[in-house]
Amino acid sequence: MMPKEVISLSNQITRCYSDNKKNNYNFELIVSSFNNNLKERFEKSLSDYTNWDKTGIQFTESKMEDLISDNDSNNTEYKREDVIYLTADTDEKIEELKKGETYIIGGIVDKGRYKNLCKDKADKLNLKKRRLPIDEFIKLSGRKVLATSHVVELLIKWFEFKDWKKAFDEVIPQRKLASEEETTPEIESKEKSIDATTEESTKEI
């Protein structure tokens, strides 16, 4: 990623930690492949991350695929059958979240340069793919892709409400929603998508 995209992702991760910590329903967040430019960004500008509550978030240089196995005999964290890769590039939607499942959210800010990145990665790792039920509950302008921080907050809110509509209403800013008049392809093509290119301001913990 470009330097400003790494900054955006680091700020989104900061927001994910904050949202997860302050809610009654919490996830065990793990930032994998935490190395190179992203790690350097944290150490230089967000050095307090080393003091974050380890029960709320963990950082590891290991790749996600190294933490997944097909059985319990290997010294890995997660069973492949319980892992779901979230991607907008699949027709199968996720109906509900379940305790014991692991959800992978792509940590990439690419300004649309890479298409099907999460889908291709999931296929390579032989992981189940699911999309969030965006079209079923809200109208988004542009591509149906959300920022990493939005996805994490949506998952948290689903566990709170057990209702996708309420979760989306709570998380997605109204200014990002397309009006009824803005649903033609001509208008949609001019709209900015809600995706990982969203510039997030640094949020203090």
Side-chain angles (χ1 to χ4, degrees), residues 75-90:
N75 186 27
T76 51
E77 296 281 347
Y78 308 103
K79 292 180 64 176
R80 194 177 307 276
E81 64 185 48
D82 297 326
V83 177
I84 297 175
Y85 213 126
L86 298 179
T87 172
D89 300 310
T90 182

Side-chain angles (χ1 to χ4, degrees), residues 32 45 70 88 104 114 132 135 139 147 152 163 171 174 178 182 190 195:
S32 59
S45 303
D70 293 306
I104 299 179
Y114 305 114
L132 293 176
D135 287 334
K139 293 182 181 297
V152 170
D163 185 307
V171 173
Q174 290 298 311
E182 296 176 333
K190 298 178 182 178
D195 60 12

